[in-house]
Amino acid sequence: MNPYSYNSFWNKDKLAEYFNKIEKVYFHIQDLGNKSYNIKNEFNIVNLEKGSNLIIDYMDLGFNCLLFCACKDINVCHRKIIAEFISNKVNCNIVNL
């Protein structure tokens, strides 16, 4: 999975540059990519368990974690599946910005 978008702001390099400027960390978790990204309303997460465990590890270290995607509607986006999966594992709040 590649963290690239038709909207250049959502590309990995641009996100890393932006977060570096505000002294935050950005990293791409390939395991949380949607292999079916080009099929409307179809979700096939690369490795939901493995990718989610990495997010949980960072949360355990005190980090706030953000899931990014260019989808306009969270209800038809793979990040909703990921967020709910993590929330069910560790009982955390989900905030959609």
Side-chain angles (χ1 to χ4, degrees), residues 45-92:
I45 309 302
V46 173
N47 190 330
L48 183 58
E49 185 76 32
K50 183 178 175 188
S52 295
N53 284 340
L54 184 57
I55 295 286
I56 292 166
D57 288 345
Y58 276 97
M59 290 169 58
D60 287 344
L61 292 172
F63 288 92
N64 293 316
C65 297
L66 304 172
L67 302 175
F68 286 106
C69 184
C71 292
K72 293 179 182 178
D73 184 356
I74 185 68
N75 294 306
V76 291
C77 181
H78 72 296
R79 69 196 144 114
K80 180 178 181 180
I81 294 168
I82 296 164
E84 288 175 349
F85 183 83
I86 292 170
S87 178
N88 288 332
K89 281 186 89 169
V90 297
N91 192 27
C92 65

Side-chain angles (χ1 to χ4, degrees), residues 1 26-33 50-52 54-55 58:
M1 300 302 314
Y26 167 82
F27 62 93
H28 171 248
I29 301 175
Q30 188 169 354
D31 287 317
L32 295 179
K50 183 178 175 188
S52 295
L54 184 57
I55 295 286
Y58 276 97

